[in-house]
Amino acid sequence: VEKSTEEAIHNGGITYAGFECHHRLFIEKAKVHSCWMLLKHCGYNDDLRLKPELYALDLEVSPDQAVELSFAAIEFLRDIFNMFADQGLLYFRDIDEIFATMPDGCPWKNIEKRIPLNNNTITFESWIGLWAMQLMLDYKSTLEAMKYMGFEQPVEEAVTVSKRRYGNFNELFKSSQKKIFRCYVFGSLGVGKSCLLDAMIEKDFSDKTRANIAERSVCNYRKLDKKTGLPIYICMTEFPDFEIDDMLNNPEKLYCCDCALVLYDGTKESLLYAREIVQNLPEEIPRILVNSKSDNVFLGQQSVSQELEEITRSLNMMKHVRISCKNKKISHLLDVLTEVLPNPSKCYPPDVYRRVRMKTRNQMERFTRFFFSVGGLLIFAYLSYAKLDKLTAYLQQLRTLFTSLLGGIKW
């Protein structure tokens, strides 16, 4: 190998050029079986694909749980990023080279429509956000991609599963330790759902109304604490309009989200549609009413505002946010989400909080009554048994006394 190419050996070890030359020599000498032995030793099958058992992982994940990147996975992705990055930025043109080890190339299409790009460059936070979002949406294909890219540890070490939220009412009001949160975006046609997702990833505004024909998700990060700089990732998802009715009748699908964003554009029709959406959402799912076109001023705004107050009062909505997707003024919404998602109790109306607390207290009272009832029965049984034992011993003593006094007379 060293004679075939000058770059084959470096510091006493073989380089990739030497490794490739080594295989070429095997093929030229008709020793193809040696190449196949090495490939199968590395986990490849006859189709030059990794064996499924190397990356297959079946997790028991409830709809209200999320599969997240572990610390080992983040460090691995950091090494990949640093390998191709230039001055802390990853150029979009290098994506194909990063996924060159996969048989079909990059497994995700239209990455530029999923995460923010700045002059066709990707920051490290956006890079991690892409992987965190894809792992949450489809962890099996994401783990397969990580294995093809060289993740050496078992795939179990690459993921963590968050705690359940909606299975227990007590968990609804506890702070969440999740790193990525998912928001569903609802609204009638033309209210600006796609524009909100574009603004989320800092894309240019488009005033063309387009119907949703496929599910679309985007991800961006926000710094949770200015002192520590710990980020949280927010994933927004919009669905085709023809799937909304089926979703509202499928609680398991709705429980996948951490918060529902219900959009309206200030018109009465969009407001009535928003009310219908909110009324069909499960009570335990946090929801935020969003005016996506607060920059519009039209006749009848006062009457709609009055009706909005009545609807929000009747629906018991605690959060109402006004944004402008056209002017990319969505920072207020992101600030609210940064506050609400890790602490969902801030999004529930006070009466819902009181009702849930009352239900929890009633459960505790029932448990306490049951505990004391069973405990009392056990104590009574023990005392009864102890008294019976003492009574039997006393009768034995009387029998002995009668026997000694009356000369063995039986009684």
Side-chain angles (χ1 to χ4, degrees):
V1 172
E2 188 175 10
K3 292 179 181 179
S4 301
T5 175
E6 297 179 355
E7 302 176 353
I9 305 298
H10 180 70
N11 292 335
I14 189 170
T15 64
Y16 174 74
F19 185 74
E20 183 180 4
C21 177
H22 184 254
H23 281 271
R24 189 182 299 110
L25 292 175
F26 273 133
I27 296 174
E28 291 175 355
K29 296 181 179 181
K31 294 183 178 181
V32 183
H33 65 281
S34 300
C35 299
W36 280 108
M37 287 177 59
L38 182 59
L39 289 171
K40 290 186 175 182
H41 176 76
C42 295
Y44 286 87
N45 57 19
D46 294 339
D47 298 326
L48 287 179
R49 292 180 177 270
L50 288 178
K51 298 176 182 178
E53 54 265 24
L54 293 178
Y55 55 82
L57 182 63
D58 292 327
L59 298 174
E60 295 182 0
V61 182
S62 301
D64 56 346
Q65 291 179 296
V67 182
E68 300 182 314
L69 294 170
S70 66
F71 177 77
I74 293 177
E75 290 302 311
F76 167 76
L77 295 174
R78 186 192 302 273
D79 293 338
I80 297 294
F81 180 87
N82 293 333
M83 188 182 304
F84 292 89
D86 183 13
Q87 296 181 355
L89 295 175
L90 180 65
Y91 284 89
F92 187 73
R93 62 175 182 267
D94 295 329
I95 292 294
D96 293 336
E97 185 178 357
I98 292 176
F99 292 97
T101 55
M102 298 196 66
D104 302 322
C106 180
W108 312 308
K109 307 304 178 184
N110 301 323
I111 292 181
E112 67 277 4
K113 296 182 180 180
R114 297 170 179 260
I115 58 175
L117 296 179
N118 185 13
N119 295 327
N120 287 328
T121 60
I122 304 173
T123 62
F124 174 72
E125 289 79 9
S126 298
W127 170 252
I128 295 297
L130 173 66
W131 283 90
M133 177 179 64
Q134 293 303 139
L135 186 69
M136 180 182 61
L137 299 177
D138 184 7
Y139 70 88
K140 293 185 178 180
S141 63
T142 307
L143 292 177
E144 180 184 0
M146 291 183 62
K147 207 64 180 178
Y148 269 104
M149 294 173 63
F151 187 74
E152 298 179 352
Q153 302 180 33
V155 289
E156 294 84 355
E157 303 293 332
V159 298
T160 59
V161 181
S162 63
K163 294 182 179 180
R164 295 196 61 181
R165 275 193 57 187
Y166 302 122
N168 186 352
F169 273 93
N170 291 328
E171 296 294 333
L172 293 177
F173 301 99
K174 292 182 179 179
S175 298
S176 177
Q177 302 299 324
K178 293 174 62 175
K179 306 181 188 70
I180 183 168
F181 299 89
R182 192 176 188 185
C183 300
Y184 283 177
V185 182
F186 298 100
S188 59
L189 180 64
V191 297
K193 299 186 295 293
S194 299
C195 294
L196 174 59
L197 267 65
D198 290 340
M200 179 71 177
I201 56 175
E202 303 171 6
K203 298 296 181 184
D204 294 333
F205 171 78
S206 175
D207 56 356
K208 294 182 180 180
T209 301
R210 53 188 184 275
N212 302 329
I213 59 176
E215 180 180 331
R216 178 192 173 198
S217 297
V218 300
C219 183
N220 204 343
Y221 76 98
R222 298 282 291 180
K223 288 187 177 180
L224 181 60
D225 190 340
K226 294 182 179 180
K227 294 181 178 179
T228 61
L230 295 176
I232 63 170
Y233 293 92
I234 302 175
C235 173
M236 290 188 183
T237 303
E238 65 169 336
F239 300 91
D241 296 329
F242 56 83
E243 291 184 3
I244 300 299
D245 293 336
D246 294 336
M247 282 190 57
L248 295 177
N249 295 324
N250 186 1
E252 291 188 358
K253 183 71 173 179
L254 293 173
Y255 284 157
C256 294
C257 78
D258 298 284
C259 183
L261 304 179
V262 185
L263 272 61
Y264 76 100
D265 58 3
T267 61
K268 184 176 180 180
E269 292 77 12
S270 66
L271 195 55
L272 294 176
Y273 184 85
R275 179 174 65 179
E276 181 182 355
I277 292 292
V278 173
Q279 289 175 339
N280 286 278
L281 289 174
E283 184 183 46
E284 55 266 36
I285 295 180
R287 72 286 306 268
I288 299 176
L289 193 62
V290 181
N291 184 349
S292 59
K293 299 181 181 179
S294 61
D295 55 303
N296 278 356
V297 179
F298 57 92
L299 297 177
Q301 178 71 41
Q302 184 176 1
S303 61
V304 174
S305 299
Q306 295 175 354
E307 187 169 3
L308 171 63
E309 293 179 0
E310 297 177 0
I311 292 177
T312 53
R313 192 182 304 111
S314 63
L315 294 177
N316 220 355
M317 300 285 287
M318 188 174 181
K319 293 293 183 180
H320 175 217
V321 181
R322 292 177 174 85
I323 61 174
S324 174
C325 297
K326 181 178 181 180
N327 300 326
K328 295 184 180 181
K329 295 181 179 180
I330 65 170
S331 58
H332 180 47
L333 175 61
L334 297 180
D335 292 339
V336 171
L337 290 175
T338 305
E339 178 186 9
V340 166
L341 292 175
N343 303 286
S345 60
K346 297 181 179 181
C347 195
Y348 289 107
D351 64 329
V352 175
Y353 179 78
R354 287 193 298 268
R355 186 162 58 252
V356 173
R357 295 295 298 175
M358 183 64 67
K359 183 175 181 179
T360 304
R361 186 168 62 182
N362 292 338
Q363 292 176 348
M364 290 297 297
E365 290 178 354
R366 289 196 297 268
F367 174 77
T368 303
R369 287 196 297 267
F370 175 77
F371 175 78
F372 280 105
S373 299
V374 174
L377 289 174
L378 291 176
I379 293 174
F380 176 77
Y382 172 77
L383 293 176
S384 300
Y385 176 78
K387 290 181 179 180
L388 181 61
D389 190 38
K390 291 181 179 180
L391 180 61
T392 303
Y394 181 69
L395 291 176
Q396 287 288 352
Q397 292 178 359
L398 287 178
R399 181 177 181 179
T400 304
L401 180 62
F402 267 77
T403 303
S404 62
L405 292 177
L406 301 179
I409 296 179
K410 295 182 180 181
W411 62 283

